[in-house]
Amino acid sequence: MSVPRRQQTRIGLALSSGSARGWAHIGVIKALERNGIVPDVVCGCSVGAFVGAAYVDGDLERLESWVRKLTWQDVVSLLDVSFKSGLLKGERIIQFFMSRFVDCEFSALGRPFGVVATDLDTGREVWLREGSIGRAVRASIAMPGVLTPVPYEGGFLLDGGLVNPVPVSLCRALGADIVIAVDLGADFARRHLEEGREAAEPAETEASWTARLLSRLRGNGNANGDVNESGRMPSLITVMSAGINIMQIRIARSRLAGEPADMLIGPRVGRVGLFDYHRGAESIAAGEAAVERLMPLIRDVIGQ
């Protein structure tokens, strides 16, 4: 049963980009609802669009069950190599998503839902609110260089995290009076600190699939001597993942400064790597814990 709140106050939930860290959104939503907070408007960017779509379609519980059982072998099975405009086609991922979770149009949903993407040609922010939800989600997760872009009105769409990683503005445009935002980039600095600790004390932490992948692809320098003090060059995946993370964090900070959320939640998922989708239980728990820590402030903000 929902806890009564101020009359006619519409609560929006903005779910950010963040790749594998996005499973924390599941924990955030669960903890909010457990405390009687059910958002009236939901908006998502990239993985936030993926989770948000399942939520508004009533499939969050099923998504959580799948995520908790996900292994790194399962992740690999969903990858369809392309090397044309991106390392992966992404069709296998979205077909699986639509067959298991969401296969409908925006008009069939019971509450407002919006997805952020980026126009490849103009760089403008695109708000997707009509047509196929699966296609909108596929566009929003099209990470540059990783997933191929999605055709759209004569052009192409890319990851929404390039322009609006934490879609507070879209929530307000869809009628939210109070916006609770989840920023998965807030723990980025902590992630790098912990990774350094893992390198020094590998026995104390679980090796991530991302680390395994990077260890296979990491080079040992080149003939020109372009190496760092350790004698190694960063791999392509290292450069891409770190670069995208840094870019989206900087963009999010800028957007949130101009369009602040009423409440900002930052789950502690800094140790979850870009491709660590098999660490869902850890991320879900981090999302729940973040909400519980901030619950007194959240209640104050929404007037409970």
Side-chain angles (χ1 to χ4, degrees):
M1 180 181 297
S2 298
V3 177
R5 59 177 184 258
R6 290 172 184 166
Q7 190 176 8
Q8 298 182 336
T9 298
R10 289 167 59 84
I11 296 177
L13 180 63
L15 304 175
S16 79
S17 58
S19 300
R21 297 189 296 273
W23 298 147
H25 290 316
I26 298 173
V28 168
I29 294 169
K30 286 181 59 183
L32 287 175
E33 290 208 335
R34 189 163 58 240
N35 284 278
I37 301 171
V38 180
D40 304 288
V41 176
V42 178
C43 295
C45 176
S46 197
V47 69
F50 189 103
V51 175
Y55 174 47
V56 295
D57 194 47
D59 288 326
L60 189 70
E61 185 175 342
R62 189 187 307 174
L63 177 63
E64 180 186 0
S65 177
W66 175 70
V67 167
R68 287 186 180 277
K69 298 174 184 175
L70 195 63
T71 66
W72 69 269
Q73 292 94 337
D74 295 326
V75 176
V76 172
S77 72
L78 292 173
L79 306 182
D80 43 6
V81 179
S82 169
F83 294 115
K84 292 182 179 180
S85 302
L87 297 176
L88 306 171
K89 296 177 185 176
E91 296 308 313
R92 192 176 298 170
I93 296 172
I94 208 62
Q95 286 172 7
F96 177 85
F97 175 69
M98 294 176 68
S99 66
R100 291 285 296 273
F101 305 113
V102 182
D103 185 16
C104 66
E105 301 206 343
F106 283 91
S107 59
L109 300 175
R111 69 185 113 177
F113 175 61
V115 171
V116 179
T118 304
D119 188 298
L120 176 62
D121 296 322
T122 66
R124 71 185 178 91
E125 181 176 342
V126 178
W127 290 350
L128 300 174
R129 288 280 295 114
E130 299 177 345
S132 167
I133 293 177
R135 187 170 178 80
V137 170
R138 172 62 182 85
S140 191
I141 66 173
M143 186 183 297
V146 179
L147 290 178
T148 57
V150 174
Y152 177 77
E153 295 185 352
F156 294 91
L157 294 180
L158 286 173
D159 195 322
L162 297 172
V163 290
N164 194 0
V166 190
V168 174
S169 56
L170 179 52
C171 270
R172 298 203 190 280
L174 294 184
D177 302 306
I178 293 174
V179 177
I180 299 172
V182 185
D183 181 8
L184 299 177
D187 206 28
F188 183 71
R190 180 175 177 271
R191 171 188 170 184
H192 283 275
L193 177 63
E194 293 292 342
E195 283 181 347
R197 190 173 301 157
E198 286 182 15
E201 304 170 16
E204 294 186 5
T205 55
E206 175 188 355
S208 70
W209 182 60
T210 302
R212 296 174 193 167
L213 182 61
L214 297 185
S215 68
R216 293 183 182 183
L217 299 180
R218 187 178 290 120
N220 292 316
N222 57 36
N224 295 325
D226 295 330
V227 297
N228 63 8
E229 291 82 355
S230 66
R232 297 182 304 186
M233 278 287 288
S235 70
L236 171 62
I237 301 239
T238 300
V239 173
M240 287 177 59
S241 62
I244 291 171
N245 269 314
I246 293 168
M247 174 191 66
Q248 292 192 358
I249 289 166
R250 294 290 185 178
I251 294 171
R253 295 295 174 272
S254 177
R255 292 296 298 258
L256 288 170
E259 303 161 347
D262 298 282
M263 187 71 221
L264 189 64
I265 300 172
R268 294 175 180 172
V269 287
R271 294 175 59 190
V272 178
L274 183 71
F275 300 109
D276 289 350
Y277 290 98
H278 64 294
R279 297 171 69 179
E282 178 182 343
S283 296
I284 292 171
E288 292 186 89
V291 171
E292 296 300 339
R293 282 194 303 270
L294 295 171
M295 205 60 235
L297 289 175
I298 295 173
R299 290 191 187 283
D300 184 61
V301 166
I302 67 174
Q304 281 192 353

